Amino acid sequence: SAVISQKPSRDICQRGTSLTIQCQVDSQVTMMFWYRQQPGQSLTLIATANQGSEATYESGFVIDKFPISRPNLTFSTLTVSNMSPEDSSIYLCSVDSGERTYNEQFFGPGTRLTVL
Amino acid sequence: GDSVTQMEGPVTLSEEAFLTINCTYTATGYPSLFWYVQYPGEGLQLLLKATKADDKGSNKGFEATYRKETTSFHLEKGSVQVSDSAVYFCALRGRTGGFKTIFGAGTRLFVKA
């Protein structure tokens, strides 16, 4: 199984600022996924990040708001830009458990963001 | 498109009670089905899975059977503990969903001592 760490674990930010969330995996993985979990809600996929290519964003999410970097096979960052209170959520990093596309996913502990 | 519907919560039970959380899905073909659990203040972790019809996934006393005929994957446990208090997510992953994991809304379980 993969062990995923995220930094920061939580933060309180002011409106209009940006926050970069880091995700580190203890093994090399092809794809990394970024999810948002709004309070009391399910998970919504923001984007899929492949090493060496631009991230693929889901409907309703754009690169200007959520730029993603994927410099190598064990690390990714998600930036939440020009934040508003509506961005207050838990942001989760995730990876596949193997190369098969029907596999389960492993999740990081999440970053709890509050925007004032 | 693919979707997952699970029973709304919260569900409140006394310790040692029987638990059922209903989950039904819509998908073409044979997706893999999962139950994930999220304990307070943590990320999601896999509880159990089933990859084909009639498979039974089990872990930590929890069970769920992949029922193709009823498109269901209900989660059951015979005797819950206070430590089972968490949010439970039913999920699927299959070809028609572009192999993206589709999550249900989640069901919060409270177990009282």
Side-chain angles (χ1 to χ4, degrees):
Chain A
S1 64
V3 177
I4 304 171
S5 59
Q6 289 185 232
K7 290 182 182 179
S9 59
R10 61 178 66 240
D11 207 342
I12 300 174
C13 300
Q14 295 299 318
R15 180 196 298 261
T17 62
S18 298
L19 176 72
T20 294
I21 302 167
Q22 300 178 7
C23 176
Q24 179 75 53
V25 188
D26 69 344
S27 58
Q28 294 185 339
V29 294
T30 304
M31 291 192 292
M32 296 177 77
F33 306 92
W34 286 100
Y35 288 87
R36 181 175 72 184
Q37 186 180 21
Q38 294 177 302
Q41 302 295 313
S42 188
L43 280 71
T44 301
L45 182 63
I46 297 171
T48 302
N50 290 321
Q51 194 267 337
S53 63
E54 280 199 9
T56 302
Y57 289 83
E58 297 301 303
S59 175
F61 297 95
V62 295
I63 188 171
D64 289 347
K65 176 67 176 177
F66 297 101
I68 289 171
S69 77
R70 182 79 201 274
N72 58 53
L73 291 173
T74 64
F75 187 80
S76 178
T77 67
L78 170 76
T79 299
V80 185
S81 304
N82 188 25
M83 290 184 285
S84 67
E86 291 70 35
D87 293 319
S88 297
S89 294
I90 300 172
Y91 292 86
L92 294 154
C93 174
S94 176
V95 302
D96 282 328
S97 67
E99 292 303 319
R100 288 182 59 238
T101 51
Y102 282 58
N103 282 348
E104 64 271 25
Q105 294 177 230
F106 298 116
F107 288 85
T111 295
R112 284 153 182 77
L113 170 62
T114 301
V115 183
L116 302 177
Chain B
D2 291 1
S3 65
V4 176
T5 301
Q6 62 182 105
M7 64 186 285
E8 290 189 21
V11 174
T12 302
L13 296 173
S14 297
E15 209 165 21
E16 300 183 1
F18 184 86
L19 168 71
T20 299
I21 301 178
N22 290 335
C23 172
T24 58
Y25 68 91
T26 301
T28 304
Y30 295 87
S32 293
L33 302 176
F34 309 93
W35 278 100
Y36 288 89
V37 59
Q38 185 175 33
Y39 297 104
E42 299 183 11
L44 275 72
Q45 56 184 271
L46 179 70
L47 180 60
L48 54 85
K49 69 177 182 181
T51 57
K52 60 182 186 295
D54 299 325
D55 264 4
K56 177 185 283 188
S58 61
N59 185 27
K60 300 181 181 179
F62 291 89
E63 293 183 339
T65 301
Y66 190 142
R67 301 287 189 198
K68 182 70 173 174
E69 64 278 13
T70 55
T71 61
S72 65
F73 193 55
H74 305 321
L75 181 68
E76 296 181 336
K77 186 174 185 182
S79 176
V80 294
Q81 306 299 312
V82 172
S83 58
D84 293 327
S85 298
V87 181
Y88 293 82
F89 293 93
C90 185
L92 70 80
R93 195 171 192 184
R95 182 178 301 277
T96 55
F99 299 111
K100 297 171 189 173
T101 301
I102 308 298
F103 292 91
T107 302
R108 182 173 294 276
L109 171 65
F110 294 104
V111 181
K112 304 179 298 184

